């Protein structure tokens, strides 16, 4: 019986039944801008597919799948009832529905499609807002393609299955499946990011390209995948023996490969997704690329998954912003809606600015992949790790600020914001933490002058449009003129590079009030350390309006 004294008023209604793509001005404008420049004939087709995906992502069904997948995390079964070792991970049905929808929407299929990387990046951004954890196998499956192309025979065999729009969850030989998923195993407990310290050994068999692996992997993501790219030491001559291998989960004759899952990681967030420690003991593998060139072989996969880290963090930021603005639109305090209160408006404008900068940068990187020119590849060499460093770093404080906009409601699990907050640090760690990204940028600065030239040409396209941006570019050039002892100031340099790149893109493409606010606060120093400290003279209402769910 309901209490007669209990009446629910002044609460925001559920944010459900909306088009995640079509109501996001920044995302939809960015997709159309890049497509208009490269593939205008695809505009209607891409609009249609992204709007359909956006409506699915904003549906009550997808939102319930996300909740269920995280409330029912994967479970490891090492043995069957008879004592046979099976090493299987069981997932809630909601996980399979999320993953199946992602694969069916083409989120593992970018390579070779017209504007494939842009449309796939936008789709990944949209669907990740329903639930982020299942994006891990989606990302690795997509990213495995360029690594496998180091071996044309392997690529011909596996690529059609990797890019398939068919999701098949059962473990059986890959040749019997219309679509497969891939995972990755690089790090070991004694090495972490220093993969050259790996001890997993590869013993060659009589058949060309076939090996047996013995060793372990401290982090193996998505252990129920059909195949894995791993690094191991091959017995080749020379000092560098690290080599890339393909490890199938099930062998061609239908027997299980030796793939002992020791335990699943108990993680802060990313609860729906399984991360495992695995042991190899005579595990059959195929070499990918040449012996001793494992890092070079797998580096394209790493670059693609790093871009997905940027996209994933940008998606988390957008979803947190959307929830905060929706709450502020419907909640009244002190006689006015929250969204109309000057101080709350400043907070919302500031987090909206951060979200727009992240989204705009992520789409620019995806468009560079599609262009595929030597200039764009050189640009990506620096821009991807710099963006990965900065956008993923900004995600956690931005999501925390958005959570606070809901007050106590935001701290309650039912709001969905705690799940976003737990997820937010992951992309900064995955595929190399902040220091790894900074060192990667510094390595490119010192060894690949064409990459720096491409980066400077990109930011230079906006020179003269805003004096604060011009001053920031000048300051960056001063920093880069002295590479002596640069490692100790590596984070500072990479942060400035990312901010200058974001500023140049917003000056060129965003509305004037957005570019003005970014240059004032992020480049001109007219902003505080916390969100919500933008200069009050800026067009804050316009920034908030741009972040609202579009009609």
């Amino acid at each position: 019986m309901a209490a007669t004294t209990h009446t629910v008023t002044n609460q925001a209604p559920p944010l459900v039944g909306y088009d995640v793509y079509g109501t996001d001005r920044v995302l939809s404008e960015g997709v159309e801008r890049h497509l208009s420049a490269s593939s205008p004939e695809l505009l209607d087709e891409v609009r249609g597919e992204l709007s359909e995906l956006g409506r699915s992502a904003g549906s009550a069904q997808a939102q319930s799948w996300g909740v269920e997948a995280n409330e029912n995390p994967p479970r490891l079964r090492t043995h069957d009832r008879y004592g046979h070792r099976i090493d299987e991970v069981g997932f809630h049905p909601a996980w399979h529905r999320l993953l199946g929808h992602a694969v069916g929407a083409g989120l593992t299929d970018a390579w070779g499609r017209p504007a494939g990387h842009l449309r796939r990046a936008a789709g990944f951004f949209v669907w990740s807002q329903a639930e982020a954890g299942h994006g891990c196998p989606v990302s690795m499956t997509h990213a495995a393609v360029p690594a496998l192309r180091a071996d044309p025979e392997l690529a011909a065999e596996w690529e059609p299955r990797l890019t398939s729009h068919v999701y098949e969850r059962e473990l059986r030989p890959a040749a019997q499946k219309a679509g497969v998923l891939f995972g990755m195993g690089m790090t070991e407990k004694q090495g972490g990011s220093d993969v050259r310290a790996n001890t997993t050994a590869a013993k060659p068999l009589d058949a060309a390209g076939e090996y047996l692996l013995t060793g372990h992997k401290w982090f193996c993501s998505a252990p129920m995948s059909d195949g894995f790219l791993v690094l191991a030491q091959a017995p080749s001559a020379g000092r560098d023996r690290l080599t890339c291998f393909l490890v199938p989960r099930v062998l061609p004759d239908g027997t299980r490969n030796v793939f002992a899952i020791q335990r699943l990681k108990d993680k802060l967030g990313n609860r729906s997704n399984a991360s495992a420690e695995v042991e190899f003991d005579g595990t059959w593998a195929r070499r990918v690329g040449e012996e001793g060139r494992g890092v070079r072989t797998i580096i394209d996969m790493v670059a693609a998954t790093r871009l997905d880290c940027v996209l994933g963090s940008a998606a988390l930021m957008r979803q947190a912003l959307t929830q905060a603005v929706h709450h502020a639109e419907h909640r009244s305090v002190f006689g006015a809606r929250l969204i109309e209160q000057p101080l709350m408006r400043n907070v919302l404008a500031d987090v909206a600015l951060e979200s727009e900068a992240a989204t705009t940068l992520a789409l620019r990187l995806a468009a560079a992949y599609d262009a595929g020119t030597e200039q764009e590849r050189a640009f990506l060499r620096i821009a991807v790790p710099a963006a990965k460093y900065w956008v993923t770093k900004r995600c956690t404080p931005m999501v925390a600020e958005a959570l606070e906009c809901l007050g106590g409601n935001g701290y309650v699990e039912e709001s969905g914001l705690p799940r976003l907050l737990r997820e937010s640090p992951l992309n900064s760690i995955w595929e190399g933490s902040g220091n790894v990204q900074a060192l990667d940028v510094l390595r490119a600065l010192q060894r690949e002058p064409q990459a720096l030239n491409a980066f400077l040409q990109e930011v230079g396209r906006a020179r003269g449009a805003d004096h604060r941006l011009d001053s920031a570019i000048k300051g960056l050039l001063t920093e880069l003129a002295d590479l002596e002892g640069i490692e100790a100031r590596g984070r500072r340099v990479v942060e400035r590079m990312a901010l200058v790149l974001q500023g140049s893109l917003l000056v060129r493409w965003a509305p004037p009030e957005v570019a003005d606010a970014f240059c004032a606060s992020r480049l001109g120093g007219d902003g505080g350390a916390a969100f919500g400290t933008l200069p009050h003279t800026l067009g804050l209402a316009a920034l908030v309006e741009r972040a609202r769910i579009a009609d």
Side-chain angles (χ1 to χ4, degrees), residues 120-122 124-125 128 306-316 362-363:
R120 185 256 169 200
F124 189 83
F125 181 98
S128 293
R306 284 178 176 176
L307 174 54
D308 278 359
C309 290
V310 179
L311 287 162
S313 289
L316 287 169
L363 292 180

Side-chain angles (χ1 to χ4, degrees), residues 416-479:
L417 271 299
R419 193 174 90 216
L420 297 183
L421 185 60
R422 286 192 298 272
E423 195 76 26
S424 60
L426 175 62
N427 287 316
S428 185
I429 300 167
W430 191 37
E431 296 299 12
S433 59
N435 284 354
V436 173
Q437 304 308 309
L439 291 171
D440 197 23
V441 172
L442 299 186
R443 190 178 303 111
L445 291 174
Q446 294 166 330
R447 301 179 184 177
E448 304 176 48
Q450 71 278 13
L452 176 58
N453 290 337
F455 177 87
L456 293 176
Q457 286 181 41
E458 177 70 22
V459 300
R461 291 190 173 100
R463 292 188 76 166
D466 187 286
H467 67 92
R468 294 157 300 194
L469 175 60
D470 289 346
S471 178
I473 294 174
K474 183 178 179 180
L476 176 61
L477 291 173
T478 301
E479 289 266 17

